[in-house]
Amino acid sequence: MEVNNIAALATTLASTATNQAVGVAVLKKAMDIQASSAMAMLEALPPAPSVNLPPHLGQNVNTTA
């Protein structure tokens, strides 16, 4: 019986290692897809408009309000 237990343990360990490797591969692929989607969304944003404000605006902060 001991030989059967050792064989079953070896099979379980091999299966677990394979399952973990597949899980990591799927996670990496999902992260790659998410990163490419985020980059596509950022590239789709329109450029920020340039505002020509007078030079005196934006120099002071009202701390008493």
Side-chain angles (χ1 to χ4, degrees), residues 19-62:
N19 289 341
Q20 287 179 346
V22 169
V24 169
V26 169
L27 179 62
K28 285 182 181 179
K29 185 66 174 177
M31 289 174 65
D32 290 342
I33 291 170
Q34 186 176 19
S36 65
S37 296
M39 287 302 296
M41 289 177 68
L42 289 174
E43 290 172 358
L45 288 173
S50 62
V51 179
N52 295 327
L53 296 175
H56 68 278
L57 289 179
Q59 300 296 319
N60 300 319
V61 177
N62 186 358

Side-chain angles (χ1 to χ4, degrees), residues 3-22:
V3 173
N4 290 336
N5 291 339
I6 293 173
L9 179 62
T11 303
T12 302
L13 289 175
S15 175
T16 302
T18 303
N19 289 341
Q20 287 179 346
V22 169

